[in-house]
Amino acid sequence: MPADIFPPLLDALSRTGAAGLLAGVPENVSYLADAALPFPRHLRPERPALAYLGRDGRRLLALPFDWAQAVTDQGYDGEIAAYDENAGPGYPAAARAMAQALAGRGLTAGPLLTDLEDAPAALGEAVTAALPGCELRPDSAWFAARRLVKTPGELERIETAANSAARGFIGAINHLEGTTGILPYTLVEVGERVRVHAIEFDASSVGHLAVLQGADGAHEYLPARGVIQPGMLVRLECSVGYLGYWTRAACMLSIGQPAPEQARAYQDNQTVKAAALAALRVGAKAGDVYAAAAEAARQAGIDFCGERGVGHGVGRSEAEAPWLVPGSDELLPAGAAVVLDVVTRAPSGELIRSMDTYALEENGPRLLSWLKPWNRLYAITGFRSTH
Amino acid sequence: MNRATLNEKVTKALSQRSLGALLVCGPDNVQYLTGVCLPMLPVLAARQPLVVVWSQQQRACVVPAALASSLSAAGWTGAVLPYPEGPDPAAEAARLVAGLVAGLPEGAPLGVDMERFTAGQLARLRAALPGRELVSADDLLRTLRQVKTEDEIELLERLAAMTDHGVAGAMHHVSTLGGRTEKFMCEDLRVHCLERGTDLAPYHGLSLTASGPHARVFWPVSPRFGIGQEKKMQPGEAVRMEMRASLDGYWADSARTLTMGQPDPDQAKGYAHLRELTAAALSALRTGARACDVYAAVSARAAELGADWISGLGAGHGVGVTPYEAPYLTAWDETRLEAGMVLVIDLAVRLPGGEILRGKETVTLAAEGPRLAETYQDWRQPYTAALTF
């Protein structure tokens, strides 16, 4: 399942007049390498990576030496300029490694399109200092536009990630069912089981993990604490990656049969989500999807939590363009992968959240997270039977 | 964790540097200053919280509206200024920061974590703060963070002990003839740490089990970083096990060696080298020494021993709100070591067959010398798996 990004990318690059691309944003580096890096955003400023792609298709990576094997094992066949921990602070070390490698090819004049305005300012300064004669043209929007429209290979990876996330939830839920009257079952264990089951079913990475119960569920995030309690609403969230492509997922549980107001609150969320989905069309403005959800909630008197928007794109990162936020005029293109993330609030205060991942196609959004519909509040019931 | 001492330390440093205020956006620095761990922050790109600190009493967090209540519920007692979603959230955040610092004395510079702010964020800040000087506070933050308070030390040492207990607990379940997979062991590492009370550790909460040929590389079966695969651990193999566990936003970084049966001569020799190099690092770890002196001591000892030390990783690093932070026990870092630093001595050697053994020890530098964090057992020898159960 190759990502197949290079033909369209090189075609777009050929129309810019630039000699090549130079990326410092971790997801853009991964994109140009077609290889995931080990936790690059969580190890900054110590372990930055830079990627170069020339108009001729030649690639070059500057990265920590122990990552070199990680990218070649994923099929990266370009050159590598590795630096180690003794080469100095991370940003200058990466910049020097890249500059020396470019100089070795006679490629220090540019012009190079860069994404450095979205990278740490200190990294940009280090790159500029290391490439004094090179014309650097900041154009993060160009990179974002390339990543916005996915190839079929990229969508396949996102689809696998989405259904691995569902497997994670299902596995955790199956272990929880039948236990609630017997043992104190910790929220931590539920969360860990989400990770394990996602990994057992294809996931390459699990990022975010959240398990929120009762009053804690009124918030976007709190650490998982305590044990599962009867009568509660529980929200599970995770982000899952497959071969370097990510998506996010969430589902809601009631511990025991849901109270009528809990079931109603969940259906209210689905009502708003349906309105957003109806507006999720190629050619629509991103802000219109938000507006459709907000209007549906207003008409039905539903407590809509629109402060996070109603979704966003996914791909090399777990949250990227297009952003389905108020006021956005961005037009939704065919080929975008979008997580619809509609959040409402139950009368008892908990956030109600469900997410699904879609690929935008000319004839309507195609559901990528198809494995398990979460259109009803999932009730954790049953009894334990040894078998 | 009692944060009063830490807050006092930060505000004292601010006044010593004649900064009007400190403004940070890096997720690690945000957590350091707020005490609130929001593990998803690094992936939120332009939607970061920004923390402004003027004094111990005057602290504010400019935060995406969706995260505002989490911050307060998790214990942040400063002001919370939510900014809304929209086409340019970073501009909204900058506008709120401008309002916050408007009352600062004219000419008082704003210390900023330049190593974290993106150029785009800085441009928005500069547009919102015309005339206000923004200066790098990276050194200040590094200096503050690398010397821990007593409360931080207690947490880090406790977490290191929990993690070591968890790693040993996972190893107890291994038998040479049992044929467990690396994937199973990765999960057993996590589970045993969780059972000791560590938190769910998302993202870079690494658990790694690499055996035999997989142990010859740093990242086996990429891009499945640290989740293991179907390979079964085989009799005679050396197994590298690494675990990064987290509690209340602070980290432990551990690595231990398991052998599937009695270690063969190469494994025994490699492990002995690892211990000798660790001892060399500990000997050099003194207040007043430089971080690079520790590296040099390990380097010299490796040469004496003829050990195949992988020097490119350095000899260790600090640990705190991230599992890898200053000071860096590398050839270039001339930071003077001080009492209160908590470090991970992180050493790796290669066996003749190519397998990488790695050992990590958490150590607190006290005035009287280095103090190793409590371990579940004495690790002078690798853990030798039972033949069978």
Side-chain angles (χ1 to χ4, degrees), chain A residues 193-281:
Chain A
R193 287 198 185 279
V194 171
R195 183 210 305 267
V196 173
H197 288 86
I199 287 169
E200 286 175 355
F201 291 94
D202 291 334
S204 307
S205 323
V206 175
H208 185 54
L209 273 175
V211 186
L212 297 116
Q213 176 180 247
D216 282 358
H219 310 291
E220 178 78 9
Y221 177 81
L222 283 174
R225 295 280 191 267
V227 298
I228 294 290
Q229 302 278 359
M232 294 290 186
L233 282 175
V234 172
R235 191 172 90 237
L236 304 181
E237 293 184 23
C238 68
S239 60
V240 167
Y242 177 69
L243 302 183
Y245 282 79
W246 288 85
T247 195
R248 296 172 66 220
C251 71
M252 299 292 303
L253 318 175
S254 68
I255 307 304
Q257 287 296 342
E261 59 273 20
Q262 291 174 329
R264 196 160 46 247
Y266 193 80
Q267 286 314 308
D268 283 350
N269 176 278
Q270 296 300 293
T271 298
V272 180
K273 186 177 171 188
L277 181 57
L280 189 67
R281 292 289 180 271

Side-chain angles (χ1 to χ4, degrees), chain B residues 277-335:
Chain B
L277 297 181
T278 302
L282 284 169
S283 300
L285 207 59
R286 291 287 179 273
T287 56
R290 299 173 305 168
C292 57
D293 295 336
V294 182
Y295 174 86
V298 173
S299 183
R301 187 69 181 126
E304 286 170 13
L305 293 167
D308 192 356
W309 173 44
I310 302 174
S311 61
L313 290 173
H317 50 81
V319 65
V321 293
T322 67
Y324 187 94
E325 61 185 47
Y328 310 100
L329 306 180
T330 57
W332 61 270
D333 190 349
E334 298 190 346
T335 303

Side-chain angles (χ1 to χ4, degrees), chain A residues 288-373:
Chain A
D288 290 346
V289 182
Y290 175 89
E295 177 59 17
R298 191 190 64 77
Q299 285 187 9
I302 295 167
D303 190 352
F304 172 55
C305 303
E307 59 269 28
R308 31 183 85 60
V310 293
H312 50 74
V314 287
R316 277 288 175 190
S317 68
E318 61 185 71
E320 60 187 49
W323 300 93
L324 307 179
V325 296
S328 173
D329 291 330
E330 184 173 12
L331 298 178
L332 300 176
V338 169
V339 166
L340 208 52
D341 174 17
V342 171
V343 184
T344 53
R345 194 177 294 278
S348 46
E350 300 93 334
L351 298 180
I352 308 290
R353 186 169 219 168
S354 64
M355 297 186 197
D356 269 311
T357 308
Y358 296 91
L360 296 191
E361 298 181 343
E362 294 292 352
N363 55 356
R366 174 167 63 92
L367 182 65
L368 299 180
S369 53
W370 45 261
L371 184 70
K372 172 71 180 167

